[in-house]
């Protein structure tokens, strides 16, 4: 790790910090994600193990953050693992915040939202086509290059392969605000739809500059969703009432998406409604989303 | 049937587990015999030597694997994946061979790695160390060695999974199964070893 000069801390997670650093010889900027291996009982944290192995497969896509290498360092009896990533300016959370605060407060340009969403769908489609669920899509986990207008999917620590038969699927995926209703209702065999739901929430958040469903408990989260999209029924979502955590909820009527998101054009509203479709098997896929008319105005040759 | 045997909560040991251990047993025996016959046996490469026990563990391979099966309580698929990892490890280290001194450690590490990558709920390294009869510190080192040895290539495509699953399930029915070609058991030259673990990802 003597190869790099640490410049500043840019993030902090469960197992360690993320630093901006510079290669002393080439001057290349990198992000170093440090993982402490002191938690003996656990060995290599599962999030680290998955992040490395999933990224070493997915990193070829320019819509997924590039993992440049991994180093195991032993210093003064302490064991550390460093993940070396390409460096990007900022993440989508910080980026959207910069449009929210101060005298310069203004909506994100709709062209930019279109382009970011397109790149996000590309990244997610790439993960899904390799049999990987991301399961933690949220603005903090999307990296942004401001000048080039590039967005990349990052933080695959909660990712998992879904094409091999397995018994346990955890419910502790995704920060509450981006968690799909089937997961909140206790479904155990969720699939790619959980990521699409998160993408829909992120889409709306770019438009609104604030989270779409900001619940502070699982129940509150469900109620936020139901109040906005209407309480799901067996007709709209076959099987919903047999999910583990289904109860008789208050009956709300759906609100109009276009009224709730006046800044979004009708194609955008249509795409969003397809991402926030209740029934997971009817939810649009990332690949289908790429062909949605919402992106017609976008110069796709640049991607 | 194949699908359900992989996700069932059943406690009975599925037959493919026995096939797995008998395959390993045969490879280890074969290599033990070879190393006795070959007076010029080269020392194993540095990274791989970590897996060698000083003395041959008393527990047989089938008993050891059965023990892991009972205590790990993981998806059955994880054993197929562990088998794939062992093959991958051998392919990436052509001079390394499985013998009766290292097979147990390789096995517990491969299963641990498979479970951590595949399953959402599982026991930690401390538990696996107890199940495997080795110290936690040792298992933690083996885990790092194994992961770097595999170059973190843990993902398994459905096609690869299916082909290995079918090898394990098909061989159960054959009286004298042949050793799968990828379970390399021949001695070769020592690979260049390096003590600094580093992985460059070449895309
Ligand atoms: N390659 C990078 N370039 C610039 N900033 C980065 C990079 N990677 C991460 N960051 C910053 O660090 C933050 C945390 O990184 P990341 O999401 O990968 O780790 P984490 O949340 O700690 O992971 P985990 O959820 O597994 O604990 C990000 O939200 C982002 O702001
Ligand atoms: Mg994160």
């Amino acid at each position: 790790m003597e190869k790099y000069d640490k410049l500043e801390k840019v993030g902090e997670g469960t197992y360690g910090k993320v630093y901006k650093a510079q290669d002393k010889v080439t001057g290349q900027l990198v992000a170093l994600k440090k993982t402490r291996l002191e938690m003996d009982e656990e060995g290599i944290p599962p999030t680290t193990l998955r992040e490395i192995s999933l990224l070493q497969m997915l990193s070829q896509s320019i819509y997924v953050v590039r993992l440049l290498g991994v180093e195991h360092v032993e210093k003064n009896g302490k064991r550390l693992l460093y993940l070396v990533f390409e460096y990007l300016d900022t993440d989508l959370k910080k980026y959207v915040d910069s449009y929210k605060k101060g005298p310069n407060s203004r909506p994100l340009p709709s062209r930019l939202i279109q382009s970011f969403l397109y790149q996000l769908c590309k990244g997610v489609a790439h993960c899904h086509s390799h049999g990987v669920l991301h399961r933690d899509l949220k603005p903090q986990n999307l990296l942004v290059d401001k000048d080039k207008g590039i967005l990349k999917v990052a933080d695959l620590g909660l990712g998992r392969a879904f094409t091999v038969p397995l018994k346990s699927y955890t419910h502790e995926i995704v920060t509450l605000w981006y968690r799909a209703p089937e997961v909140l209702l206790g479904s155990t065999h969720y699939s790619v739809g959980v990521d699409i739901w998160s993408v829909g929430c992120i889409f709306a958040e770019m438009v609104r500059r604030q989270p779409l469903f900001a619940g502070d408990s699982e129940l509150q989260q469900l109620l936020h969703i139901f109040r906005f999209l209407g309480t799901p029924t067996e007709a709209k979502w076959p099987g919903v009432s047999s999910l583990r955590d289904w109860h008789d909820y208050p009956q709300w009527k759906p609100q109009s998406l276009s009224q709730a998101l006046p800044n979004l054009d009708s194609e955008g509203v249509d795409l969003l409604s397809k991402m926030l479709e209740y029934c997971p098997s009817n939810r649009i896929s990332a690949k289908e989303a790429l062909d949605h008319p919402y992106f017609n105005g976008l110069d796709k040759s640049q991607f | 049937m194949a699908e359900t045997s992989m996700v069932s909560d059943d406690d009975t040991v599925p037959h493919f587990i026995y096939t797995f251990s008998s395959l390993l047993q045969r490879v280890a025996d074969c290599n033990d015999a070879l190393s006795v016959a070959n007076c010029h046996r080269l020392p194993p490469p540095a990274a791989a030597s970590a897996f060698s026990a000083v003395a041959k563990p008393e527990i047989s391979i089938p008993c050891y694997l059965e023990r892991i099966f009972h205590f790990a309580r993981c998806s059955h698929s994880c054993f197929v994946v562990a088998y794939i990892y062992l093959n991958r490890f051998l392919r990436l280290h052509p001079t390394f061979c499985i013998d009766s001194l290292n097979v147990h450690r390789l096995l517990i590490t491969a299963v641990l790695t498979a479970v951590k990558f595949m399953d959402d709920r599982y026991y930690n390294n401390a538990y696996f160390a107890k199940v495997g009869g080795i110290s936690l510190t040792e298992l933690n080192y083996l885990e790092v060695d194994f992961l770097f040895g595999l170059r973190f290539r843990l993902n398994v495509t459905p096609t690869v999974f299916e082909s290995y699953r079918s090898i394990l399930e098909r061989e159960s029915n054959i009286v004298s199964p042949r050793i799968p070609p990828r379970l390399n058991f021949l001695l070769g030259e020592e690979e260049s070893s390096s003590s600094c673990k580093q992985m460059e990802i070449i895309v």
Side-chain angles (χ1 to χ4, degrees):
Chain A
M1 282 294 101
E2 281 67 46
K3 233 173 113 182
Y4 302 102
D5 277 324
K6 271 187 197 164
L7 302 177
E8 58 182 303
K9 194 176 95 178
V10 291
E12 187 146 13
T14 339
Y15 291 98
K17 302 180 169 103
V18 182
Y19 296 94
K20 177 180 182 178
Q22 187 166 34
D23 188 312
K24 283 177 187 162
V25 178
T26 64
Q28 183 192 22
L29 288 176
V30 295
L32 297 177
K33 195 167 171 177
K34 188 169 92 175
T35 303
R36 283 170 264 122
L37 296 182
E38 285 150 50
M39 292 196 247
D40 250 12
E41 304 246 302
E42 204 184 13
I44 297 208
T47 50
T48 307
L49 180 142
R50 289 183 184 194
E51 173 147 49
I52 301 171
S53 51
L54 294 176
L55 277 178
Q56 79 111 25
M57 165 175 67
L58 298 172
S59 257
Q60 302 99 320
S61 165
I62 55 165
Y63 305 103
V64 174
V65 68
R66 181 122 170 199
L67 179 63
L68 303 168
V70 182
E71 296 195 35
H72 181 248
V73 181
E74 225 170 319
K75 213 164 77 183
N76 316 324
K78 274 200 197 161
R79 295 161 66 228
L80 296 169
L81 211 56
Y82 279 99
L83 277 59
V84 187
F85 293 98
E86 65 173 320
Y87 180 78
L88 278 91
D89 287 330
T90 187
D91 63 55
L92 187 63
K93 166 91 173 53
K94 294 177 195 153
Y95 189 73
V96 171
D97 280 350
S98 72
Y99 278 85
K100 206 156 75 182
K101 290 172 186 152
N104 228 347
S105 165
R106 63 202 185 284
L108 269 74
S110 49
R111 287 270 152 167
L112 190 69
I113 297 179
Q114 229 177 13
S115 157
F116 277 178
L117 185 65
Y118 191 78
Q119 297 177 66
L120 173 56
C121 290
K122 278 270 196 187
V124 174
H126 183 73
C127 295
H128 291 175
S129 71
H130 282 78
V132 174
L133 297 181
H134 186 287
R135 304 199 301 180
D136 196 15
L137 291 170
K138 58 180 176 184
Q140 294 90 318
N141 289 341
L142 303 175
L143 300 175
V144 167
D145 181 320
K146 283 188 289 229
D147 297 336
K148 296 193 189 126
I150 290 174
L151 179 143
K152 297 188 186 213
V153 173
D155 197 351
L156 273 108
L158 281 180
R160 100 172 247 182
F162 65 88
T163 47
V164 164
L166 296 170
K167 64 182 182 194
S168 62
Y169 273 70
T170 181
H171 293 256
E172 277 119 48
I173 63 164
V174 202
T175 315
L176 214 42
W177 298 352
Y178 307 91
R179 200 177 293 174
E182 63 270 28
V183 180
L184 292 164
L185 288 169
S187 154
T188 44
H189 277 80
Y190 52 78
S191 185
V192 290
V194 299
D195 284 341
I196 302 301
W197 183 273
S198 309
V199 171
C201 296
I202 295 165
F203 181 17
E205 186 163 338
M206 287 195 281
V207 176
R208 292 160 41 97
R209 286 174 294 155
Q210 50 184 315
L212 182 59
F213 305 124
D216 49 19
S217 68
E218 297 202 5
L219 178 65
Q220 286 305 321
Q221 186 64 28
L222 272 175
L223 298 183
H224 273 296
I225 296 171
F226 294 171
R227 246 178 256 136
F228 189 64
L229 298 173
T231 310
T233 57
E234 274 293 319
K236 249 193 286 183
W237 180 358
V240 65
S241 57
S242 19
L243 289 176
R244 194 192 64 195
D245 298 331
W246 176 259
H247 300 285
D248 280 320
Y249 296 99
Q251 292 299 311
W252 281 291
K253 292 254 170 312
Q255 289 181 33
S256 147
L257 277 184
S258 51
Q259 270 171 30
L261 298 158
N263 293 340
L264 191 60
D265 66 30
S266 60
E267 299 292 12
V269 168
D270 184 71
L271 176 55
L272 180 62
S273 70
K274 292 188 158 104
M275 291 174 163
L276 299 180
E277 164 70 47
Y278 270 126
C279 180
S281 56
N282 293 339
R283 218 168 280 156
I284 194 167
S285 72
K287 201 161 167 289
E288 286 160 0
L290 292 170
D291 294 325
H292 191 276
Y294 171 66
F295 297 117
N296 282 355
L298 197 67
D299 173 17
K300 292 183 188 168
S301 66
Q302 57 178 317
F303 298 111
Chain B
M1 180 252 148
E3 282 275 308
T4 53
S5 79
M6 290 294 149
V7 287
S8 81
D9 267 319
D10 200 343
D11 254 0
T12 51
V13 182
H15 205 88
F16 80 88
I17 295 286
Y18 294 112
T19 316
F20 187 5
S21 38
S22 63
L23 283 170
L24 284 174
Q25 181 83 63
R26 225 159 325 117
V27 172
D29 288 349
C30 205
N31 284 328
D32 286 352
L34 268 173
S35 76
V36 171
N38 187 344
C39 323
H40 310 292
R41 191 183 177 186
L42 294 158
S49 67
F51 291 93
S52 270
V54 186
K56 184 173 166 173
E58 272 171 30
I59 185 167
S60 73
I61 299 168
C63 291
Y64 193 67
L65 191 58
E66 208 177 305
R67 179 180 160 82
I68 298 174
F69 177 85
H70 280 304
F71 288 102
R73 316 201 117 270
C74 55
S75 302
H76 296 181
S77 302
C78 294
F79 291 93
V80 179
V81 172
Y83 176 57
I84 295 172
Y85 290 170
L86 287 176
N87 275 296
R88 258 184 212 170
F89 189 89
L90 293 173
R91 212 168 335 140
L92 288 165
H93 305 274
T95 62
F96 177 76
C97 49
I98 293 184
D99 59 28
S100 55
L101 291 179
N102 61 28
V103 63
H104 297 75
R105 281 169 166 71
L106 276 168
L107 200 45
I108 188 81
T109 314
V111 175
L112 170 74
T113 306
V115 170
K116 266 184 151 171
F117 181 67
M118 307 289 296
D119 268 346
D120 278 340
R121 265 182 284 263
Y122 52 81
Y123 296 106
N124 62 16
N125 286 29
Y127 181 88
F128 268 87
K130 282 213 187 85
V131 172
I134 55 176
S135 79
L136 173 60
T137 318
E138 183 172 10
L139 184 60
N140 285 349
Y141 275 102
L142 292 180
E143 181 183 32
V144 171
D145 284 339
F146 194 67
L147 284 170
F148 277 90
L150 280 176
R151 307 204 183 126
F152 285 90
R153 290 187 201 156
L154 303 187
N155 199 60
V156 169
T157 65
T159 327
V160 168
F161 180 83
E162 268 316 305
S163 68
Y164 280 80
R165 186 189 61 75
S166 72
I167 291 178
L168 288 178
E169 294 198 336
R170 191 181 44 206
E171 300 263 338
S172 349
N173 309 321
I174 304 173
V175 188
S176 166
R178 63 189 168 76
I179 293 162
R182 285 198 197 81
L183 269 179
N184 185 318
F185 61 98
L186 291 169
L187 276 172
E189 276 168 40
E190 193 192 354
E191 73 181 334
S192 63
S193 60
S194 132
S195 53
C196 168
K197 289 182 204 77
Q198 212 181 61
M199 183 186 65
E200 294 294 335
I201 292 172
I202 305 126
V203 180

